[in-house]
Structures are given as structure tokens and as C-alpha cells.
Amino acid sequence: MTVSFFVTYSTIMTDLEPIRLAGVADRRPLVIAGPCSAETEAQTLDTARGLAAAGIRIFRAGLWKPRTKPGGFEGVGAAGIAWLQRVKRETGMYVTTEVATRSHVEAALAGGIDLLWIGARTTANPFAMQEIADALEGRDIPVLLKNPISPDLELWIGAVERLRNAGLRRLGVIHRGFTSIDRSRYRNHPMWAIPIELRRRFPALQIFCDPSHIGGRRELIAPLAQQAMDMGFDGLFVEVHCAPDQAWSDKTQQITPQVLVQLIENLTIRETTTTDCLDELRTQIDKLDDRLLELLAERMRVACEIGRCKKEHGMPVLQTRRYEELLARRTTQAVELGMDEEFMRSVLQAIHEESIRQQMGTIDEK
Ligand code: PEP
Ligand code: MN
């Protein structure tokens, strides 16, 4: 059932096209950069000039800022369109801004904005997405959709689908990380498996990484950008400000145009062609995965035995203390073996969840 559903889905989405802007080289990484917010005309122009001198061709700046709480800087609104038009005229860069409502779309289209992006809070809302799709009906403008704040791949795909239904084809996505209850060094947890699954299902969809909103801190931007390139992402969407420490929003994650230049120069771009040695290594991985799955199935069988034993002795399924001990011991061991602690914790959590599910099944057996 599920499989045929997704087959239908991918057939629908094979006609997507890259965002393609005349004169912008189709080379990885395609970089879109600019301030979190357009604050003043001078700050917008100053940042844009620095980026243009660095060879950046697409300039981002938020005019309408979706803030978590009221009272923060909520953007200059439509007044900033004239500043972006000046950026276009004076630097020759393409410009993009975030839209969240029909009136934003109308103002952006009337103002000659070249590319639109949709923010994480908006992608998460099907009503807002439909309103934007209706406002864009029949228009040929490239649009990039950020992932929704929650790790919900279907919601992300649904948002792309709404724009596609409105006739848009030049669509791409921006991976900006997900809100997570786990403590983490990131502002938004990258959960790379989600954009990777999106790529697997819809290879025609261009994927950008927003290392600024994932990292939340300047020092995390370069390593995240490298990771995105290693995973075959097409581009980077980076917050750049002429004076980051004075920024009116997201100041801890903005970098200067000069730092961006360094970051791009230091990236290693590996091309994704298959070679014989890769085939050999993939065969090894497949064999290891076979063993992993067999071991997991065996572990589940033992877990079910435990379930039966607990039932016989009238014990509860979930024994928190034992689970805590297991987590602590195995995460320490994982670190000793060169793996990430958080990675091991999520693997163990997933295994544990499935064990509990199977144990409950065993207990419910008459
Ligand atoms: C932004 O790009 O400035 C922004 C508001 O991002 P997000 O929607 O990812 O939070
Ligand atoms: Mn921002």
C-alpha cells in the first residue's frame, strides 16, 4: 500500500526543474547569501556590495520576519523592496526574500523579486501554503521551500506539491534543521536522514543547506556546509551581514562576506561518480547491513521472550532503570569506538521503541 502510494507520488514530481537563473553557473555549490533581515538601506547595500565583490550571484534578505515571539524586529516589510531593487540595479545580483502570505507574494512579484523562499514556520502550515500557492498560480518564478520546523517529511513534500499543483516547476528545498527536544549543540537538529530521503524520492528537486539556521553559531557554519556538500546537496543558503555583531536578528549565526569567501574556498567538492572501488565497498556495506538486520531480528526475538517472562511474573514492560543503564553503557562504548554519542542514543532509542512494541504484542497475546 505505502509503496504504491509513493510510486505515484514520485511519478507526479519528476517534472520539476532546477531554479535556473540566467548567467548563474550550474556548479556546486550554488550560493545564496545575505542578511537575515534587511534592516536599513545602507546595511542592505553594504552587505550586497561585499557579496557581489566576492562573486555571489543571488542575494537573500528577509523583509517580513516571522518571529517566535512578538516584540522583536519583525522586518521592514514592503518598504525594503526598493532596497532590493537597488541591489539588483547596482550589483547585478538576483534577489530573494521570504514570503508567507498572499500580500507578501503580490508585493514581491510586483517589485520584481527574482526568487521567493518560504520559511520553516510557513511550510508547516497547509493553509498558509495553499494561500501562497493560489497567489502564485500560473506564475513562472523559482521558489525554495524550507523544511517545516518539525521533522515531518510528508508535510515538507506536501508543501512542494501544493506549489507544483499551482503550475510552478522551478522548485527547490532548503534544509534548515528541525526543532528537537533533545539537547544538542545545534540550534536546529540537522537530522540528515530526512533531506537524504527526500533526495532519494525526488532526485529532480534541488536541495540547499542553510548551515546558519542549523548551527545557530558562526563556528558551526563551515563544517555543516562541508557536510552538506559531502552529501551531494546542490547549494548553500547562508546568512551574511556587513556587521554581524550589530545585526537586528540572528546575530550569533551571521558571518561577513569575507568569512563566506574563505568558507567557500575551503570547501572540498567531491563529485559523485561511481567507480569500481565504490562498487566493491558498497557490496561490503550490503553484506554488513544483512548481518545488522539479522542481529536486530534476533534481538527482537529475545526481547519478546523477555516480554513473556515479564508477563509470567506480573512485571511491567518498561523498566526505566535497566534502560537508563543500557543507554549510559552503550553510548560510552560507542564514543570509545569512534561514534557519536547522540547518534548511538537515537539508534538505541529506536531499537528500544520497537522492542517495547513487540513486547506489548507478546503480552497482549491470549
Ligand atoms: C531566515 O531564513 O531568516 C528564517 C527566518 O529562517 P527559518 O524560516 O528557517 O527559521
Ligand atoms: Mn535568520
Side-chain angles (χ1 to χ4, degrees):
M1 283 274 285
T2 325
V3 171
S4 61
F5 177 70
F6 288 133
V7 170
T8 324
Y9 237 81
S10 25
T11 321
I12 306 173
M13 303 265 269
T14 47
D15 55 358
L16 297 180
E17 295 167 21
I19 61 168
R20 232 184 330 97
L21 290 167
V24 178
D26 188 15
R27 202 177 36 232
R28 289 201 310 140
L30 191 53
V31 180
I32 301 175
C36 175
S37 309
E39 299 161 3
T40 63
E41 185 164 19
Q43 166 260 4
T44 306
L45 263 293
D46 197 1
T47 310
R49 287 190 191 111
L51 286 166
I56 302 300
R57 300 300 321 280
I58 312 174
F59 181 74
R60 65 147 280 162
L63 301 181
W64 297 278
K65 299 303 300 177
R67 307 311 299 272
T68 302
K69 292 194 178 146
F73 173 57
E74 297 195 319
V76 296
I81 287 181
W83 307 346
L84 294 183
Q85 288 169 343
R86 210 174 142 196
V87 167
K88 276 178 78 157
R89 261 195 330 269
E90 293 186 16
T91 69
M93 277 193 282
Y94 289 100
V95 293
T96 178
T97 198
E98 172 175 348
V99 290
T101 65
R102 172 180 285 276
S103 66
H104 297 165
V105 170
E106 285 166 356
L109 290 175
I113 304 296
D114 304 289
L115 171 86
L116 304 176
W117 95 77
I118 291 169
R121 292 157 194 79
T122 310
T123 313
N125 179 346
F127 295 122
M129 275 312 308
Q130 194 54 50
E131 179 182 316
I132 294 171
D134 293 343
L136 283 168
E137 179 95 46
R139 305 299 290 250
D140 179 25
I141 183 166
V143 182
L144 298 176
L145 289 108
K146 290 207 173 191
N147 62 262
I149 45 180
S150 55
D152 185 338
L153 179 57
E154 301 312 321
L155 196 56
W156 199 0
I157 294 171
V160 178
E161 183 81 341
R162 284 178 200 277
L163 295 185
R164 197 206 150 273
N165 286 346
L168 282 89
R169 290 294 177 273
R170 287 190 288 159
L171 297 174
V173 293
I174 304 169
H175 169 230
R176 51 77 81 195
F178 302 90
T179 302
S180 161
I181 49 166
D182 289 343
R183 260 185 309 120
S184 150
R185 68 191 146 131
Y186 301 109
R187 175 177 177 193
N188 290 297
H189 206 294
M191 299 184 184
W192 294 102
I194 294 180
I196 289 170
E197 174 61 10
L198 187 62
R199 155 106 337 148
R200 191 187 68 76
R201 288 205 220 161
F202 308 111
L205 199 55
Q206 276 187 323
I207 304 192
F208 288 74
C209 175
D210 175 343
S212 315
H213 285 87
I214 296 177
R217 287 189 282 139
R218 276 166 215 155
E219 63 274 24
L220 293 176
I221 297 173
L224 283 163
Q226 182 64 56
Q227 265 181 293
M229 288 301 104
D230 291 345
M231 281 184 242
F233 280 37
D234 302 282
L236 296 171
F237 193 82
V238 192
E239 286 194 336
V240 174
H241 192 290
C242 54
D245 287 326
Q246 268 83 59
W248 297 0
S249 58
D250 287 352
K251 67 173 158 195
T252 59
Q253 68 191 36
Q254 303 209 57
I255 54 177
T256 60
Q258 294 72 28
V259 171
L260 178 70
V261 172
Q262 272 306 309
L263 184 153
I264 296 171
E265 275 175 10
N266 292 339
L267 284 175
T268 307
I269 308 295
R270 301 175 182 93
E271 281 319 323
T272 49
T273 46
T274 327
T275 61
D276 287 350
C277 80
L278 251 194
D279 285 346
E280 165 58 28
L281 291 168
R282 283 184 176 147
T283 310
Q284 280 187 42
I285 288 280
D286 287 344
K287 286 189 185 144
L288 286 167
D289 284 348
D290 280 340
R291 279 167 56 196
L292 259 177
L293 257 76
E294 278 162 20
L295 272 173
L296 274 176
E298 198 176 324
R299 193 187 189 283
M300 293 302 160
R301 281 194 291 277
V302 177
C304 288
E305 278 305 309
I306 293 183
R308 275 190 275 275
C309 173
K310 284 178 184 162
K311 183 184 179 185
E312 255 176 58
H313 295 90
M315 292 160 76
V317 168
L318 181 64
Q319 299 198 310
T320 321
R321 180 112 163 265
R322 152 84 186 154
Y323 178 52
E324 294 291 341
E325 280 165 14
L326 182 150
L327 266 185
R329 183 151 48 92
R330 298 303 179 186
T331 48
T332 311
Q333 187 183 2
V335 172
E336 283 164 13
L337 292 169
M339 286 178 282
D340 182 68
E341 186 182 327
E342 275 185 47
F343 158 73
M344 189 43 61
R345 182 164 292 117
S346 43
V347 169
L348 290 167
Q349 269 163 357
I351 295 176
H352 186 246
E353 252 173 55
E354 176 62 8
S355 291
I356 295 279
R357 194 188 66 79
Q358 296 211 8
Q359 285 193 8
M360 298 290 267
T362 315
I363 284 182
D364 290 344
E365 279 168 13
K366 292 281 171 284

